[in-house]
Amino acid sequence: MKTFNIGGVHPHDQKLNTEAPAKVLPLPKQVCVMVSQHLGAPSQPIVAKGDKVKVGTVLTQNDAFLSAVVHSPVSGTVNKIADIPDASNYPKPAIFIDVEGDEWEESIDRSPEIKREITLDGPAIIQRVKDMGIVGMGGACFPTHVKLMPPKDAKAEFLLLNGVECEPYLTCDNRLMLDHAEEIMIGATALMKALNVSQTIIGIEANKPAAIKHMTEVAAGFTGIKVQPLKMKYPQGAEKQLIKALTGRAVPSGKLPINVGCVVDNVATCYAVYQAVQKNMPLVQRMVTVTGPDVPEPTNFWARFGTPVSEFIAAVGGLPENTGKVISGGPMMGKALYSDEASSVKGMSGILILPEKQAHRRQVYPCIRCGKCVEACPMGLEPYLLASSSDAKDFAQTEKARVMDCIECGCCQFTCPSNRPLLDCLKIGKATVGKIIRARNAK
């Protein structure tokens, strides 16, 4: 069974709610919609206090190429626009909307019927994806229309769909593949048309046998789409690792997937593309896994963006008494939330509730030069060296040791027997070196 060939680890998958059907989370009384929910230039609000909005009303705009708009996930009245702490406790602009009913823009097709015939041409598909605010749903939130417009000197040969979901605990992509396989295939067909490619490979890890079986059966009815089961290994869902596993091609240091003829999208992104292209539906909701070792009923919820995390927690029975940490995402790459009043956003795939005994860091001991972090690194880096040079503020050495190739997967810290905060040091080093490089290039 295929996989990538350098590094990787095998955390217990903890897929606690794979069999549970998805539920719809009731609308809250008020949503808090973050103005920028993408990687790239920040957007600006185009509504004001007192404005009436419907589901699908455009709330923001930005003329930058690398950007994405945000639409209202609810109908009601704009209460205020204010800077609030985001999920990481950084102040960011947000639009508060008081929910009044559930009225949608008339241009959106909400019928349950699956629309199979794609009538838009390639450029129109790209424009629709941009207009509907579609971004990468795997967590990076890269604007999808940008991926569909590669540079003139690059040619896409493969569309690769990420159904790996290698993060422990998360099951939203698995549930989506079981419930909406045909829509994902139609979305893939639209992306292939936009990219002018004839091959799509969908990678799914072996711990999702039902999804592999169902997606394979549905893919048989579509031209150029196949499903490839993959060996379980984290972080197989990372772009470069997925490309290696599915095509055997290696993305060189400092290069992008398109440089080896690949465009990678998450299956949830592909479903959103179907909704945008075939139903004229903007990205206003997603499936979110709410889970944890002591959560009474781990569940996947369809939820509108801007919903407070507290609403998700209440829907699974509330916080267990022994809760030590609430994480947005999974345990490997997710971020601890500063408050349960943080709001859901396009990139929030899961809410993980960890007990106290798993939330605390263990005592740190000196590095014993065992080399386990080097063996585990899927990018072939030397994390112990990067961490020490970053900690010593020797950023010239940190850059030389290729810190910018770090994908922040956490494999190094996961394997360290001395419990050293390697990932923390690498993140600081990468952020600092990135600033140095940008300043150098601006001269």
Side-chain angles (χ1 to χ4, degrees):
M1 196 172 288
K2 291 186 175 183
T3 188
F4 59 98
N5 61 343
I6 299 176
V9 295
H10 295 82
H12 192 286
D13 61 6
Q14 298 283 3
K15 306 294 186 179
L16 304 179
N17 56 345
T18 54
E19 304 302 323
K23 298 180 180 179
V24 176
L25 194 69
L27 293 176
K29 294 180 180 179
Q30 185 184 73
V31 294
C32 173
V33 184
M34 304 307 294
V35 169
S36 292
Q37 301 184 36
H38 59 274
L39 181 71
S43 296
Q44 303 298 324
I46 57 171
V47 291
K49 179 179 178 179
D51 285 354
K52 295 288 185 179
V53 296
K54 299 178 182 179
V55 180
T57 301
V58 181
L59 300 178
T60 71
Q61 70 177 9
N62 192 308
D63 295 330
F65 179 59
L66 189 61
S67 190
V69 297
V70 173
H71 300 76
S72 177
V74 295
S75 62
T77 304
V78 176
N79 181 287
K80 63 178 178 179
I81 300 174
D83 283 358
I84 64 160
D86 66 4
S88 299
N89 207 21
Y90 290 101
K92 299 285 179 62
I95 302 169
F96 291 78
I97 304 172
D98 294 329
V99 179
E100 301 162 359
D102 192 28
E103 186 179 359
W104 291 59
E105 291 285 356
E106 292 76 7
S107 58
I108 299 171
D109 179 1
R110 298 180 62 204
S111 64
E113 291 79 15
I114 296 176
K115 187 177 179 182
R116 295 172 177 84
E117 182 184 359
I118 300 172
T119 57
L120 299 182
D121 61 14
I125 289 171
I126 295 172
Q127 187 62 46
R128 179 70 62 81
V129 166
K130 180 181 180 181
D131 292 343
M132 296 297 106
I134 310 301
V135 300
M137 305 285 278
C141 295
F142 191 87
T144 301
H145 70 274
V146 177
K147 284 189 177 183
L148 301 178
M149 303 170 71
K152 292 181 179 180
D153 59 348
K155 174 70 173 71
E157 300 173 52
F158 293 97
L159 171 64
L160 306 181
L161 293 191
N162 179 5
V164 172
E165 200 165 47
C166 58
E167 270 273 10
Y169 289 101
L170 301 186
T171 58
C172 53
D173 286 350
N174 179 63
R175 189 72 254 166
L176 193 66
M177 290 187 286
L178 291 172
D179 294 348
H180 297 284
E182 188 170 4
E183 294 97 314
I184 291 171
M185 300 299 167
I186 298 169
T189 303
L191 290 174
M192 291 165 67
K193 190 173 183 180
L195 289 165
N196 193 27
V197 301
S198 59
Q199 301 178 76
T200 292
I201 309 174
I202 306 172
I204 308 174
E205 279 195 334
N207 63 345
K208 304 171 187 64
I212 291 172
K213 182 176 183 293
H214 184 52
M215 291 283 282
T216 300
E217 291 171 352
V218 175
F222 290 81
T223 302
I225 304 177
K226 73 173 185 177
V227 174
Q228 176 61 58
L230 297 171
K231 183 179 178 180
M232 285 176 59
K233 187 162 67 166
Y234 176 88
Q236 196 147 229
E239 278 191 333
K240 293 183 178 181
Q241 283 64 43
L242 188 63
I243 291 168
K244 185 65 177 178
L246 294 179
T247 70
R249 300 181 181 186
V251 181
S253 175
K255 299 297 183 180
L256 299 171
I258 192 63
N259 296 121
V260 293
C262 298
V263 172
V264 182
D265 276 310
N266 185 269
V267 290
T269 308
C270 208
Y271 177 73
V273 167
Y274 162 80
Q275 295 280 47
V277 173
Q278 300 296 84
K279 299 285 190 174
N280 201 41
M281 185 176 292
L283 189 54
V284 295
Q285 63 183 350
R286 69 163 297 152
M287 195 180 291
V288 180
T289 302
V290 185
T291 184
D294 298 315
V295 171
E297 295 182 23
T299 307
N300 286 306
F301 290 103
W302 279 109
R304 308 283 177 88
F305 302 131
T307 301
V309 169
S310 58
E311 299 277 343
F312 291 90
I313 295 172
V316 294
L319 284 178
E321 290 184 6
N322 63 347
T323 297
K325 187 177 290 185
V326 179
I327 294 173
S328 172
M332 298 296 287
M333 294 186 72
K335 295 182 178 179
L337 295 173
Y338 81 98
S339 166
D340 64 1
E341 290 309 307
S343 299
S344 64
V345 291
K346 295 178 181 181
M348 183 181 282
S349 56
I351 297 169
L352 173 60
I353 303 170
L354 285 181
E356 190 77 32
K357 62 183 179 181
Q358 295 184 25
H360 278 300
R361 298 196 179 197
R362 300 188 182 106
Q363 183 176 345
V364 177
Y365 296 98
C367 175
I368 60 173
R369 296 296 190 268
C370 65
K372 286 188 175 181
C373 62
V374 177
E375 183 180 351
C377 180
M379 295 303 296
L381 305 178
E382 297 176 286
Y384 74 92
L385 174 62
L386 288 165
S388 60
S389 63
S390 176
D391 202 35
K393 302 190 186 311
D394 185 357
F395 296 116
Q397 173 59 35
T398 309
E399 180 180 358
K400 184 178 179 182
R402 296 171 43 217
V403 73
M404 297 308 293
D405 284 343
C406 174
I407 60 173
E408 302 180 19
C409 64
C411 287
C412 54
Q413 193 160 313
F414 179 82
T415 59
C416 180
S418 294
N419 307 318
R420 300 193 63 75
L422 298 171
L423 182 57
D424 294 354
C425 295
L426 265 65
K427 284 184 175 181
I428 292 170
K430 184 177 177 181
T432 305
V433 170
K435 290 179 181 178
I436 292 170
I437 292 173
R438 287 192 293 274
R440 188 167 64 221
N441 291 340
K443 293 180 179 179

